[in-house]
Amino acid sequence: MNKFIKNKSIRRTILILLDLVLLLFSYNINFLILNHSKSIASSSHLNIFQMILYTLICIFTYIFSGQYKSISQYISKLDLYRLIVRNTFSIIIFFIILKIFLRINLEYNLLFLIWIFSNLFTCSIRIITKEVYIYLKYKNNSKRSVAIYGAGEA
């Protein structure tokens, strides 16, 4: 388990896969809310295409904007704010592609709910991942190194 914790590429791959699943889930849950319990699987190919397009836009935005450079142990509030900005940017790109290039009308409340749930799920998983990572890292270490400054000649 210790090799797993130290391998950055495995941790990044797991974060990408988690984001992929959560973004698909956040899009699908919005579809369920707005279409009164009809799942996206029972809908048209266009809705499935939109869900996949949104997920890919988000993942590429995360990768190219440096989302996965910071390892989960060191995530801070600033990283969560950046993630919200990335999700906002992804929604805008998604809207532009659908509206301008594909001439598909999308409800604004759907976009807003996608943004809310994407932020909720992706930020939550970052916090949970950080806590699990720290727990696994320090689970076997009963001692922690502590430096005491200012003891002088005591």
Side-chain angles (χ1 to χ4, degrees), residues 21-30 54 114 117-118 121:
V21 169
L22 290 173
L23 290 168
L24 288 169
F25 182 71
S26 68
Y27 194 93
N28 197 18
I29 200 167
N30 294 311
Y54 171 70
I114 292 170
F117 283 110
S118 295
F121 293 143

Side-chain angles (χ1 to χ4, degrees), residues 89-127:
F89 183 71
S90 297
I91 287 286
I92 292 169
I93 291 174
F94 179 63
F95 176 75
I96 289 171
I97 289 174
L98 289 181
K99 188 78 170 177
I100 296 174
F101 296 114
L102 300 177
R103 306 264 188 232
I104 298 172
N105 290 329
L106 202 60
E107 298 175 18
Y108 295 115
N109 57 353
L110 176 66
L111 290 173
F112 180 71
L113 284 174
I114 292 170
W115 181 80
I116 292 290
F117 283 110
S118 295
N119 286 325
L120 176 71
F121 293 143
T122 54
C123 288
S124 297
I125 199 67
R126 293 295 185 284
I127 295 168

Side-chain angles (χ1 to χ4, degrees), residues 36-114:
H36 308 291
S37 302
K38 292 180 184 176
S39 75
I40 198 160
S42 65
S43 67
S44 70
H45 295 292
L46 181 63
N47 290 330
I48 295 171
F49 168 75
Q50 290 172 0
M51 180 180 68
I52 293 170
L53 178 67
Y54 171 70
T55 305
L56 290 175
I57 288 170
C58 285
I59 295 295
F60 285 125
T61 301
Y62 292 173
I63 291 171
F64 292 120
S65 66
Q67 174 66 33
Y68 301 110
K69 287 182 182 178
S70 173
I71 301 301
S72 56
Q73 176 185 7
Y74 305 110
I75 195 160
S76 66
K77 283 190 270 185
L78 181 61
D79 293 322
L80 295 178
Y81 297 146
R82 288 179 183 150
L83 181 58
I84 292 170
V85 169
R86 288 178 179 114
N87 283 336
T88 305
F89 183 71
S90 297
I91 287 286
I92 292 169
I93 291 174
F94 179 63
F95 176 75
I96 289 171
I97 289 174
L98 289 181
K99 188 78 170 177
I100 296 174
F101 296 114
L102 300 177
R103 306 264 188 232
I104 298 172
N105 290 329
L106 202 60
E107 298 175 18
Y108 295 115
N109 57 353
L110 176 66
L111 290 173
F112 180 71
L113 284 174
I114 292 170

